[in-house]
Amino acid sequence: MELKDGTLLQGGKYRIVHKLGQGGFGISYLALQSGLNRKVAIKEFFILKQTQRLADGRNIVNPTPEAQDFFSTFLKKFIKEARTVARLEHPGIIPIHDIFSENGTAYYVMEYIEGGSLQDAVICRKKPFAEDEAIGIIRKVAVALDYVHSQNVLHLDLKPDNIMMRPSGEPVLIDFGISKHYDKAGRQTTNTLGGYTPGFSPIEQYDANAMGTFSPAVDVYSLGATLFYLLTGELPPEPMALMQKGFPGMGNRVSGHTVTLLKKAMSVQPENRMQTMAGFLELPAEESSPAAVADPVREPVADDRMTYPRALIERLAESKEYKEAYRMCLANISRGFDVDYSESKSVELMEIIKRGKPKDIMFEVLLVAFCALVGITLFILYILISK
């Protein structure tokens, strides 16, 4: 599937040493740039489970005209995003040296960082980072992200795997594969494929159509989740868990100031979150000793105005958490405003709200609740009987 070791690109300018890794839309290689005799990293656009390599071991093909159209569309976006990132000049962002088309696809060439990722560092040390050490890393990443945001770009895939650590200990942001660029009015100018990483993505990224306007709060959440991971060594809770159980306790080894910042950064509702990197930039270089009073085990974050995205309800249903999914549906309907629930009944409810007929609202709510209860009950009985 990948290019063979020793493959030459650009007429011998680059020689593939070996494959570094592969994701859903690309293969990364370690390569040698012959003219400068230096190691570089090269990313090849390649769609997993669709794109195929021909017998020559170089050129690629897509199996159907529809697949080729899909490939061509996102190949253009791949090239455009690479050019966008190439314009980001900052020591905390991976430099892109070159971009070219070959073998029926496109490649971009980056600096190769000898050190591993932040994720590798967490695994190797087998214990959480000390608070001052974790804060030192996060502050530097926040500086880089603050610059990225100043250029109207969102990273959208921030996690320990996408933060490389130089041998000097300096963090470097990589993999802008699903990043988006926005104009001065905050409107999206690129349309890359969306995606989310459990534990590190905020709730709005679970909706592929929710990133149409510029919102640094998305990256704020992911950076907060990354700090949580460094301090605990545990995967951060998903938004669903935060809504159900509240922010997890962190014991007394983390200062109260940092815990407060984490809760603010990882607020489920975007409007309740920090909107810039300022909170991370204001973290002291060395935290004072942890607060004398331990952080409460749980602190609920949901409030009476919270609505539940359809994607979250669907995931619960797929996991057979029928009771919780049903509760969220009823909660959305009963609140009546900002309903993220696609059934026709909720649309009717919104129309009733606009017309200002509270009696009709209550009747509709009770009717929908009754019908939903009957439907869910029959469905659960069917599941139990089928077992």
Side-chain angles (χ1 to χ4, degrees):
M1 182 183 293
E2 67 269 12
L3 293 171
K4 294 179 181 179
D5 297 354
T7 298
L8 300 179
L9 297 173
Q10 288 289 280
K13 183 177 180 180
Y14 304 106
R15 178 172 61 83
I16 300 297
V17 177
H18 60 76
K19 174 182 172 182
L20 291 173
Q22 180 169 1
F25 289 85
I27 304 176
S28 298
Y29 304 92
L30 172 63
L32 187 66
Q33 185 176 357
S34 58
L36 297 174
N37 194 31
R38 69 175 176 180
K39 293 178 180 178
V40 293
I42 296 181
K43 187 165 186 178
E44 175 186 45
F45 184 69
F46 191 102
I47 302 178
L48 186 66
K49 297 182 180 180
Q50 174 182 302
T51 307
Q52 300 169 2
R53 188 98 46 196
L54 295 179
D56 62 7
R58 298 176 59 90
N59 288 281
I60 65 172
V61 67
N62 292 279
T64 66
E66 292 78 13
Q68 183 58 48
D69 289 344
F70 180 84
F71 181 91
S72 298
T73 296
F74 284 95
L75 175 64
K76 293 176 184 177
K77 299 180 190 302
F78 175 85
I79 294 171
K80 185 174 182 179
E81 287 307 312
R83 289 172 177 161
T84 296
V85 177
R87 292 194 292 268
L88 300 176
E89 299 182 359
H90 191 278
I93 299 171
I94 191 74
I96 294 183
H97 301 315
D98 194 7
I99 182 169
F100 57 90
S101 297
E102 193 170 337
N103 301 328
T105 187
Y107 302 82
Y108 63 79
V109 183
M110 305 166 283
E111 175 189 358
Y112 174 67
I113 299 177
E114 295 284 351
S117 69
L118 186 56
Q119 173 69 17
D120 295 331
V122 172
I123 293 172
C124 287
R125 69 194 294 140
K126 297 180 179 179
K127 63 179 182 179
F129 279 71
E131 185 172 359
D132 58 348
E133 187 179 5
I135 285 174
I137 294 170
I138 294 300
R139 287 181 77 250
K140 292 174 181 176
V141 176
V143 170
L145 282 170
D146 195 51
Y147 168 75
V148 170
H149 295 162
S150 74
Q151 304 302 305
N152 293 323
V153 175
L154 297 179
H155 188 282
L156 300 179
D157 196 19
L158 186 65
K159 55 188 175 184
D161 277 319
N162 288 339
I163 301 172
M164 297 298 292
M165 300 299 295
R166 296 187 186 279
S168 63
E170 296 297 307
V172 179
L173 282 173
I174 66 168
D175 201 344
F176 284 72
I178 65 170
S179 65
K180 293 183 185 292
H181 185 265
Y182 299 79
D183 60 21
K184 291 182 179 179
R187 296 182 295 255
Q188 179 180 326
T189 61
T190 52
N191 187 26
T192 53
L193 286 174
Y196 60 87
T197 301
F200 294 96
S201 297
I203 198 165
E204 56 267 36
Q205 278 191 274
Y206 286 70
D207 181 353
N209 300 315
M211 300 310 304
T213 55
F214 184 65
S215 177
V218 177
D219 287 340
V220 166
Y221 183 100
S222 299
L223 188 59
T226 299
L227 177 56
F228 178 96
Y229 182 62
L230 296 185
L231 292 171
T232 64
E234 299 175 356
L235 187 68
E238 291 191 56
M240 177 175 62
L242 287 173
M243 285 193 291
Q244 293 175 0
K245 302 176 182 178
F247 194 85
M250 302 187 70
N252 58 5
R253 63 181 303 273
V254 179
S255 68
H257 175 78
T258 298
V259 171
T260 299
L261 179 137
L262 282 172
K263 290 178 179 178
K264 188 69 174 175
M266 294 178 67
S267 291
V268 177
Q269 297 294 77
E271 62 272 19
N272 296 333
R273 212 175 295 153
M274 297 186 304
Q275 300 300 305
T276 70
M277 290 291 151
F280 294 107
L281 298 177
E282 293 167 1
L283 282 170
E286 290 188 8
E287 278 287 322
S288 57
S289 58
V293 180
D295 180 46
V297 176
R298 293 286 177 186
E299 181 175 312
V301 296
D303 62 39
D304 290 337
R305 295 166 298 171
M306 181 173 289
T307 58
Y308 301 98
R310 183 185 177 193
L312 199 60
I313 296 170
E314 289 176 344
R315 289 190 67 202
L316 279 168
E318 289 169 3
S319 303
K320 298 186 179 180
E321 297 286 345
Y322 303 117
K323 183 177 179 180
E324 189 64 23
Y326 168 69
R327 184 187 69 79
M328 288 185 179
C329 287
L330 290 186
N332 279 359
I333 296 171
S334 65
R335 284 159 191 154
F337 295 93
D338 298 323
V339 174
D340 187 0
Y341 180 71
S342 65
E343 297 298 326
S344 60
K345 188 57 64 177
S346 68
V347 176
E348 294 173 14
L349 284 171
M350 290 301 292
E351 290 301 317
I352 293 171
I353 291 169
K354 292 177 183 177
R355 294 197 301 268
K357 295 181 179 179
K359 292 182 180 179
D360 288 346
I361 294 173
M362 181 56 65
F363 174 76
E364 291 286 330
V365 167
L366 292 174
L367 179 60
V368 171
F370 175 75
C371 292
L373 180 60
V374 172
I376 291 295
T377 302
L378 291 174
F379 184 73
I380 292 175
L381 287 174
Y382 171 78
I383 293 296
L384 293 175
I385 292 171
S386 63
K387 290 182 177 180

